[in-house]
Amino acid sequence: RIIMKMKMILTVLLSLLFILETQAQTTHKVGTVTFDDDVTLYGQKAVYNGGAIRKKYFFKLYSIGLYLPAKTNNAQKAIDEDGFCAVRLIITSSMVTREKFIETVTEGFATSSEGKASKAEIDQLMGYFSEEFKDGDNILLAYKPDSGIEVWKNRKHLGSVKGLEFKKALFGIWLGKT
């Protein structure tokens, strides 16, 4: 009887450990930011593929997470793919102002070795960021083949910029060879 109780207790503990381990795998920590294992937008789902911290000097400015239709180690595939995908940026420093963000992303387009982004497309994207930035802001740039880059800030849809070439240039800022 004692052996049966011990087996039952062990089974319960192992089951609990498995459940906790499974739950622990549903998020990913990048610096102080936690990214979900997947994102679903417009009925489309993409899975977390990795993340990074954007630093300047000693300051951690934001954490970024990449979401793709399937796991891959191939950055070029992530840039070129014409399927639902997204990058999520979480601002982690009050040093990231609206002006600095626009300046940095615009410079990123200039050095991106991928795709093509016209000045009008870049201006359209940057125009969506009319409000000041603050620590904790959540920016989602999601690509949908039929509508282009969908721009979200703090769960509010701001607009879109059409085109696969624009998406390639944008994703090339973070994933491309500069």
Side-chain angles (χ1 to χ4, degrees):
R1 257 185 133 143
I2 293 177
I3 292 175
M4 291 278 290
K5 284 184 181 181
M6 288 180 70
K7 282 184 178 180
M8 190 162 77
I9 291 171
L10 184 58
T11 301
V12 169
L13 288 174
L14 287 174
S15 297
L16 183 59
L17 182 63
F18 177 75
I19 290 168
L20 291 174
E21 183 177 319
T22 302
Q23 288 177 342
Q25 293 174 351
T26 61
T27 60
H28 307 273
K29 197 88 162 154
V30 179
T32 59
V33 175
T34 301
F35 289 96
D36 292 331
D37 197 43
D38 56 56
V39 295
T40 302
L41 190 63
Y42 305 112
Q44 304 273 335
K45 182 178 177 179
V47 296
Y48 179 84
N49 262 256
I53 299 171
R54 170 72 167 112
K55 297 177 186 176
K56 189 160 188 175
Y57 307 112
F58 298 105
F59 302 104
K60 296 177 181 175
L61 303 176
Y62 61 81
S63 290
I64 186 169
L66 173 65
Y67 291 87
L68 300 170
K71 296 267 186 189
T72 183
N73 293 349
N74 185 333
Q76 195 63 51
K77 181 179 177 189
I79 292 168
D80 293 339
E81 192 159 12
D82 191 16
F84 178 72
C85 55
V87 291
R88 172 168 274 148
L89 294 92
I90 308 294
I91 307 299
T92 57
S93 170
S94 59
M95 293 181 60
V96 180
T97 64
R98 175 188 163 278
E99 291 78 17
K100 289 282 185 196
F101 180 81
I102 289 172
E103 178 184 317
T104 301
V105 173
T106 302
E107 288 172 1
F109 276 113
T111 60
S112 178
S113 60
E114 305 297 330
K116 292 180 183 163
S118 69
K119 181 176 178 347
E121 291 168 329
I122 295 168
D123 289 347
Q124 182 181 359
L125 175 68
M126 295 302 113
Y128 294 132
F129 299 110
S130 60
E131 295 177 11
E132 192 51 61
F133 281 37
K134 63 185 179 314
D135 191 353
D137 277 349
N138 180 334
I139 298 165
L140 180 69
L141 303 168
Y143 175 74
K144 284 180 50 191
D146 59 337
S147 62
I149 295 290
E150 297 287 339
V151 182
W152 296 78
K153 183 177 176 201
N154 298 327
R155 301 188 186 271
K156 179 182 174 190
H157 186 253
L158 304 177
S160 63
V161 181
K162 289 193 177 289
L164 176 59
E165 289 301 310
F166 181 78
K167 176 257 186 185
K168 289 179 182 181
L170 179 65
F171 276 51
I173 292 171
W174 297 288
L175 300 173
K177 301 171 193 88
T178 55

